[in-house]
Amino acid sequence: MGSPAFERRLIERAVELGRAGWGAVHPNPMVGCVLADGERVIAESHHREFGGPHAEAIALERAEGAARGATAYVSLEPCNHRGKTPPCSEALIAAGIRRVVFAAPDPGSASGGGGDALRGAGLSVEGPLWDLDRARAENPAFYHREERGTPWVALKLARSMDGRIAEAAGERTRITGAEAERWTHRLRSGFDAVLVGSATARIDDPRLNLRHGVGGRAPARVVMDSDARLSPAASLFSEEGGPVVVVTAIDASEDRTARLEDAGARVVRVRRGPRGLDEGAALAALGVEGLGSILCEGGGALGSSLLRAGLVERLYLLTSGRRLGAGGVPDFDADLPERIWAEWRPHGPPQWLGGDRLSVYRRSY
């Protein structure tokens, strides 16, 4: 057993290792593991890909038998179920681990309970060290899906210094620079789907795929299009990427939806709402499609609607040094209730991506 300061460093190291799984492990959580004998680190690893060995199993393999009597420091409670891989709790017991320290509890109805299983086998177990708020912040989609059963939604907007997202209505405008664009593709890689509204699809003709050397499982490309007016000639249908899903109204034109299906889209119909589609019904339908985490990339109207409905859990705001002036398109609707902004708090300090500032906020519960 190491000193308290050493043990804190190893838990922080496990968390850092786990984050390397972004874009490769979802819908599984990001998890890191460090094995140590006293204050000597034996092995470390992280969960590398969905369906592959978990962090604990990889670290134990790397330890090559030196794990007996050691302590495992894990960012998430070891799983206790047999899914695509055997239970990590069983692997730790079989390897002769003496003690387990974990940061966050596993909320899974099937996968949880690893801590109790380890205690029942005679291991010393310390954890969870974190409260649920911090645990949710580290693996938000995983916790949200387990606790609420609906997709976890994040909103990303690129805006000018004066809060505009385009120079004029209907005009495609590049707001941020190359470094911010590369960061955006990395962000996309950790979500099941990327979502835009029909106006953004029409004006920007986005591809919504992974580029700039970013790999991983390509996210689905979703367009909220109440009247099914997306063109079958849109780049979404000709550019390589994830499956295309068009969410449209129950009463949308059969001819137009048939053309989209012929172009390769999966058409999902939901009821209308006061400002287009019913956002809650749309997200529920996307969840049924297997999309547990969704990154909305605009535009401002769709983002505002999701915020107004209380459906966004994280905000990624990229602010450039440009000013677009009073004629530009605002980032958010002016009539958003003030109470909405009171729900948000910073998720870490701002970062600079070239000349653009990234500010991340998470919703308070």
Side-chain angles (χ1 to χ4, degrees):
M1 181 172 176
S3 68
F6 177 80
E7 297 211 318
R8 283 195 299 272
R9 287 198 299 273
L10 290 201
I11 282 292
E12 290 166 4
R13 175 61 177 163
V15 173
E16 179 187 6
L17 287 165
R19 290 172 181 168
W22 177 266
V25 302
H26 64 289
N28 282 357
M30 298 177 291
V31 183
C33 176
V34 180
L35 303 179
D37 183 2
E39 296 202 354
R40 180 176 66 91
V41 173
I42 300 169
E44 61 180 28
S45 190
H46 67 279
H47 184 29
R48 294 176 173 272
E49 62 179 346
F50 178 68
H54 289 185
E56 298 94 320
I58 299 173
L60 289 170
E61 182 179 2
R62 289 180 174 176
E64 296 182 340
R68 184 163 297 278
T71 297
Y73 299 87
V74 195
S75 59
L76 181 71
E77 180 180 6
C79 71
N80 194 43
H81 80 306
R82 189 171 298 275
K84 292 182 179 294
T85 62
C88 291
S89 55
E90 290 185 5
L92 292 165
I93 294 166
I97 290 291
R98 177 180 60 84
R99 180 167 167 262
V100 175
V101 182
F102 67 90
D106 187 332
S109 56
S111 58
D116 289 340
L118 293 167
R119 290 184 184 96
L123 279 70
S124 172
V125 179
E126 296 178 31
L129 304 182
W130 293 353
D131 61 22
L132 274 174
D133 187 60
R134 186 173 178 187
R136 290 184 185 114
E138 188 63 32
N139 274 299
F142 176 63
Y143 276 83
H144 188 91
R145 184 178 66 251
E146 291 291 344
E147 294 173 346
R148 302 193 179 191
T150 58
W152 183 76
V153 178
L155 171 63
K156 189 230 92 180
L157 283 181
R159 59 182 188 165
S160 65
M161 185 183 292
D162 52 349
R164 310 290 169 174
I165 58 174
E167 289 183 319
E171 185 171 329
R172 183 176 183 176
T173 306
R174 186 182 179 92
I175 302 289
T176 52
E179 191 171 335
E181 185 171 359
R182 287 192 294 272
W183 174 88
T184 295
H185 285 261
R186 172 72 172 150
L187 179 67
R188 284 179 183 174
S189 72
F191 285 81
D192 293 333
V194 181
L195 167 69
V196 296
S198 57
T200 297
R202 183 182 70 254
I203 296 164
D204 292 351
D205 191 25
R207 289 172 278 180
L208 303 181
N209 53 10
L210 301 180
R211 303 188 300 279
H212 300 286
V214 176
R217 188 170 70 253
R221 297 172 287 176
V222 183
V223 180
M224 295 267 272
D225 184 12
S226 56
D227 294 312
R229 296 189 181 278
L230 179 66
S231 171
S235 294
L236 290 171
F237 297 110
S238 59
E239 294 283 342
E240 183 178 352
V244 177
V245 180
V246 177
V247 184
T248 192
I250 293 171
D251 59 352
S253 162
E254 294 287 351
D255 288 342
R256 289 197 293 269
T257 56
R259 283 197 293 271
L260 291 174
E261 288 174 332
D262 289 343
R266 165 84 170 110
V267 174
V268 176
R269 293 178 179 270
V270 300
R271 61 179 177 267
R272 292 184 183 269
R275 295 173 180 253
L277 296 175
D278 183 302
E279 299 90 354
L283 291 179
L286 292 172
V288 171
E289 294 292 313
L291 304 177
S293 58
I294 298 171
L295 176 64
C296 177
E297 292 197 21
L302 175 57
S304 296
S305 293
L306 293 170
L307 284 167
R308 186 179 287 106
L311 298 171
V312 179
E313 302 295 333
R314 189 162 294 185
L315 290 172
Y316 297 96
L317 299 180
L318 286 164
T319 305
S320 77
R322 298 181 59 189
R323 291 184 180 274
L324 297 182
V329 178
D331 48 6
F332 298 109
D333 290 350
D335 65 346
L336 274 178
E338 187 64 29
R339 62 173 174 75
I340 287 175
W341 301 118
E343 298 175 349
W344 296 88
R345 57 177 162 170
H347 181 60
Q351 305 173 47
W352 286 95
L353 303 171
D356 305 309
R357 187 185 69 207
L358 168 65
S359 300
V360 184
Y361 300 89
R362 61 187 175 104
R363 198 168 155 213
S364 301
Y365 289 99

